[in-house]
Amino acid sequence: MRLFFALWPPLGAAEALCAWARRVHRKTGGSVVRARNIHLTLAFLGEVDEARVPDLKRLPIWGERHALPIERAGYWARNRILWVGPEATPAPAVTLAERLRDLLAAWKFRTERQPFAAHVTLLRKAREPEELPPLPELDWPVQEFVLVRSRLSAEGSRYDVLERFSLA
Ligand code: 2AM
């Protein structure tokens, strides 16, 4: 199973981001991430043996509720991704991602060695934008994080939440 841990926005915030991405798409092409697929990855696991999923569902992990401001957009030429994210990643999100990574390593799960870069991918295979419309005003309260299974279907990626973890 292909798995990852993520923060999922409320649908209203996801729809606002998707509408913004559709405006950008007119200039950059590429594929727009559908509203219900928009998320921020905290830790990417890749392929995991199904027998280990129960361990993941009961990871002893805690964290603080916080807000996730979406303040800036960026483009990575190396993978042609257009993304949005906070100006500075909120400390509780950094702590959560670090705790997850440490715990996953301690439990012998394979994780990314790259440092955590808080980003929300909105367009894939896009050309570099010249200018961008102003980002929408939105509220993204972070009250939980989720363990998600990713599957490729004819319509693109499909994400199913396997477990929810409440933040205090
Ligand atoms: P991306 O949006 O930057 O592509 C599901 O695939 C999620 O896991 C996406 O948010 C994706 O990030 C992330 N992801 C996919 N492959 C990854 C990898 N090798 N390392 C880190 N994150 C990855």
Side-chain angles (χ1 to χ4, degrees):
M1 284 191 182
R2 189 176 163 88
L3 303 178
F4 62 100
F5 286 94
L7 303 178
W8 225 265
L11 191 57
E15 281 170 345
L17 290 173
C18 189
W20 181 85
R22 280 197 296 266
R23 286 180 65 190
V24 175
H25 174 262
R26 290 182 212 146
K27 297 276 173 65
T28 62
S31 56
V32 180
V33 177
R34 282 168 295 167
R36 68 169 183 278
N37 279 358
I38 291 175
H39 63 273
L40 185 149
T41 299
L42 289 171
F44 181 75
L45 285 150
E47 287 296 326
V48 173
D49 191 331
E50 201 169 335
R52 297 216 63 198
V53 173
D55 284 344
L56 290 173
K57 288 187 176 181
R58 47 170 192 261
L59 278 191
I61 191 119
W62 72 101
E64 275 172 45
R65 292 185 176 197
H66 58 282
L68 189 79
I70 299 294
E71 300 160 322
R72 60 174 298 216
Y75 177 77
W76 287 331
R78 60 179 159 82
N79 50 11
R80 303 177 69 206
I81 274 178
L82 187 113
W83 55 272
V84 295
E87 205 74 68
T89 308
V94 175
T95 306
L96 186 57
E98 283 172 354
R99 276 190 193 138
L100 265 172
R101 203 165 290 204
D102 291 349
L103 197 56
L104 291 168
W107 286 35
K108 307 286 182 231
F109 286 97
R110 202 162 29 89
T111 52
E112 278 298 300
R113 262 166 259 122
Q114 289 163 7
F116 172 56
H119 70 282
V120 180
T121 299
L122 294 182
L123 279 166
R124 297 185 189 279
K125 301 190 185 103
R127 288 184 296 274
E128 183 160 16
E130 277 164 23
E131 46 179 346
L132 290 168
L135 284 165
E137 294 277 329
L138 55 89
D139 286 321
W140 183 339
V142 178
Q143 290 163 350
E144 62 171 20
F145 65 97
V146 286
L147 170 65
V148 183
R149 176 178 190 183
S150 160
R151 273 189 271 202
L152 269 180
S153 70
E155 301 90 56
S157 293
R158 186 181 137 186
Y159 300 130
D160 297 306
V161 171
L162 300 185
E163 191 66 65
R164 296 176 182 278
F165 300 80
S166 248
L167 298 173

